[in-house]
Amino acid sequence: MNPADLGLPVDVPSTALFTDHYELTMLQAALRNGTAERRSVFEVFTRRLPEGRRYGVVAGIGRVLDAVENFRFDHAVLDFLRERAVVDMRTLDWLSSYRFGGDIWGYPEGEAYFPGSPILRVEGSFAECVLLETVILSILNHDSAIAAAASRMAAAAGERPLIEMGARRTHELAAVAAARAAYVGGFSSTSCLAAGFRYGIPTVGTSAHAFTLVHDSERDAFVAQVASLGGATTLLVDTYDVAEAVRTAVEVAGTGLGAVRIDSGDLLLVAHRVRQQLDELGATGTRIVVTSDLDEYAIASLAAAPVDAYGVGTQLVTGSGHPTCSMVYKLVARAASADPKAPLLPVAKKSLGGKTSHGGRKWAARRRDDEGIAVAEVIGTGPVPPELAGQQLAVELVKGGEVVAREPLEAARDRHRATRGRLPMSAVQLSRGEAVIPTEYL
């Protein structure tokens, strides 16, 4: 069974209040003056990548689909809005039967994005689309930030597996979303059981320092763990003296000991010493797992160390210094009237300070060289050039209010790995730089 196929709510029965107050007051005014039913096009994009990042990673699309499906104003929600006098009775009546009935197109989960990329396009009446702004942005900004950090860490780790261990460093519900996004970005497992249950992500874990400290000796702790979990378990060896712990671990578990974990100290130096000691003791197949406040730079610095896996927590779930992607949700086109046949007119905010946007419903394609490597993100509002027709990025996600593109999480994970491999090699350099490919507007 894949729990992601169960159609479970994101985390609550309704996502309708995952929104800002002014979304509803705009709705009330639009219902009053007749603009609520105007056909509208909203797009999600970011004007720039976080400083120093060379590409972004689209994550959270599956959660967005869940959130749209569960965006319902039930009796409890309507009572809350009525008691607070957030909107008038006419608006409450309209909300009571709210169901998104429009269309959503977007970059598939795991795809890369760049400044200006129309990551998500939401089409329908102004009223039904404007309400989704906050919940869509909260999901995409968070999940894409985590996935981008995960992707950089995965690139630095190479083929060595990464374990997501950040649940205790963030909000309990954000932890589940972060584990999901990390898996899309290249992590192989999580310590979070809720993420395993909700999304089918492999879960791992053995023991913490508390387990060693509760016993009368380190040996007693190792004996208890091996008796319970078997010799293939991972023993934590840095509670007291690392060398003594490694010696004891092999004596207790035998040379078939699965792994040892190092959670403190000079990881580069300690890893080399532990590897040498394990080999001398005959435990040549015992793996070394390192944890302790790792980020992509620390992981890269351990590339030459005899490390077999990394566990990452704080830096991952906080986006490794960039906890949001600065994505926005902007109206880019709207009909001239409420008439369903009225033509769409491009609209755009004019502003100083870099907050300008491009009007019109957009398509996006990625131009590639003869070897299939991306050279530009091409965005336009007119006809798609024939040579780019087969390179368009957006896929249909929701049609007439019905989700049409739900997919297993593994598909997004595989897509990201393939996408990252089709970016220029400089995309995975950890040195600061601009977007690895330029954005061109036609």
Side-chain angles (χ1 to χ4, degrees):
M1 179 190 71
N2 182 359
D5 294 333
L6 297 178
L8 298 175
V10 177
D11 290 304
V12 293
S14 168
T15 54
L17 291 185
F18 289 173
T19 191
D20 288 314
H21 188 117
Y22 79 167
E23 313 288 8
L24 298 186
T25 53
M26 283 192 288
L27 169 65
Q28 177 176 303
L31 289 171
R32 181 181 293 271
N33 76 356
T35 55
E37 294 307 315
R38 285 190 176 186
R39 192 159 50 102
S40 300
V41 180
F42 286 81
E43 288 178 351
V44 174
F45 62 93
T46 185
R47 296 182 177 94
R48 63 190 66 84
L49 296 176
E51 183 180 358
R53 297 289 172 86
R54 311 236 174 151
Y55 63 97
V57 180
V58 178
I61 293 296
R63 295 209 309 123
V64 165
L65 299 180
D66 289 343
V68 171
E69 283 190 328
N70 289 284
F71 204 91
R72 305 283 188 267
F73 292 83
D74 57 26
H75 292 302
V77 170
L78 292 170
D79 287 346
F80 165 79
L81 297 175
R82 182 182 300 107
E83 291 165 3
R84 297 293 182 93
V86 175
V87 289
D88 60 21
M89 288 303 300
R90 179 188 178 188
T91 306
L92 289 173
D93 288 342
W94 189 93
L95 292 173
S96 68
S97 60
Y98 177 86
R99 300 288 187 275
F100 179 73
D103 303 327
I104 300 178
W105 289 71
Y107 282 34
E109 193 153 15
E111 183 58 81
Y113 72 86
F114 298 92
S117 295
I119 296 164
L120 202 73
R121 187 175 76 237
V122 182
E123 301 188 29
S125 70
F126 175 81
E128 64 183 336
C129 294
V130 75
L131 294 182
L132 299 177
E133 174 181 7
T134 304
V135 69
I136 285 176
L137 288 179
S138 68
I139 292 171
L140 293 181
N141 269 310
H142 173 268
D143 290 22
S144 297
I146 306 305
S151 179
R152 285 162 60 86
M153 293 174 188
E159 296 304 314
R160 297 171 178 177
L162 291 155
I163 308 163
E164 186 279 315
M165 304 171 64
R168 63 190 62 195
R169 296 291 187 256
T170 188
H171 186 279
E172 65 271 20
L173 301 184
V176 182
R180 182 187 184 281
Y183 193 66
V184 171
F187 276 58
S188 58
S189 58
T190 178
S191 66
C192 179
L193 288 174
F197 172 76
R198 177 66 181 88
Y199 297 114
I201 302 169
T203 59
V204 296
T206 51
S207 68
H209 292 103
F211 185 76
T212 300
L213 294 170
V214 77
H215 287 82
D216 294 335
S217 70
E218 193 168 49
R219 177 179 292 274
D220 288 347
F222 289 173
V223 168
Q225 184 173 327
V226 170
S228 175
L229 301 178
T233 190
T234 299
L235 295 176
L236 181 59
V237 295
D238 73 326
T239 305
Y240 304 118
D241 178 83
V242 173
E244 180 61 29
V246 170
R247 185 178 304 108
T248 302
V250 176
E251 289 176 0
V252 170
T255 56
L257 172 63
V260 296
R261 178 162 75 94
I262 306 166
D263 189 50
S264 58
D266 183 338
L267 297 178
L268 180 62
L269 175 63
V270 175
H272 277 287
R273 287 179 174 174
V274 168
R275 182 72 271 159
Q276 180 179 354
Q277 186 180 10
L278 287 170
D279 291 347
E280 290 173 350
L281 292 170
T284 56
T286 299
R287 298 178 304 119
I288 297 175
V289 180
V290 297
T291 52
S292 186
D293 293 327
L294 299 177
D295 61 10
E296 59 266 49
Y297 301 100
I299 291 169
S301 73
L302 292 168
V307 171
D308 298 287
Y310 307 91
V312 189
T314 303
Q315 291 301 318
L316 175 66
V317 298
T318 57
S320 197
H322 297 291
T324 182
C325 302
S326 298
M327 292 179 185
V328 295
Y329 182 96
K330 295 297 181 183
L331 182 66
V332 297
R334 53 88 174 169
S337 70
D339 184 341
K341 297 181 180 179
L344 282 174
L345 305 175
V347 295
K349 175 182 178 180
K350 293 184 178 180
S351 173
L352 299 176
K355 284 195 171 183
T356 57
S357 57
H358 297 266
R361 180 204 277 132
K362 299 173 192 66
W363 53 264
R366 196 158 292 155
R367 182 178 291 126
R368 305 182 186 279
D369 63 17
D370 292 340
E371 296 181 352
I373 302 300
V375 296
E377 190 89 339
V378 185
I379 301 169
T381 56
V384 181
E387 67 274 15
L388 294 177
Q391 303 296 328
Q392 293 188 74
L393 294 163
V395 298
E396 191 170 31
L397 301 170
V398 176
K399 182 176 183 179
E402 298 295 325
V403 173
V404 296
R406 187 170 273 115
E407 63 181 6
L409 196 57
E410 289 288 346
R413 174 182 166 84
D414 292 344
R415 179 181 296 114
H416 177 64
R417 185 179 182 90
T419 294
R420 193 175 66 205
R422 292 193 294 267
L423 296 177
M425 291 183 64
S426 57
V428 297
Q429 290 179 347
L430 296 182
S431 57
R432 292 183 178 275
E434 300 299 321
V436 73
I437 60 173
T439 301
E440 301 176 359
Y441 288 94
L442 296 184

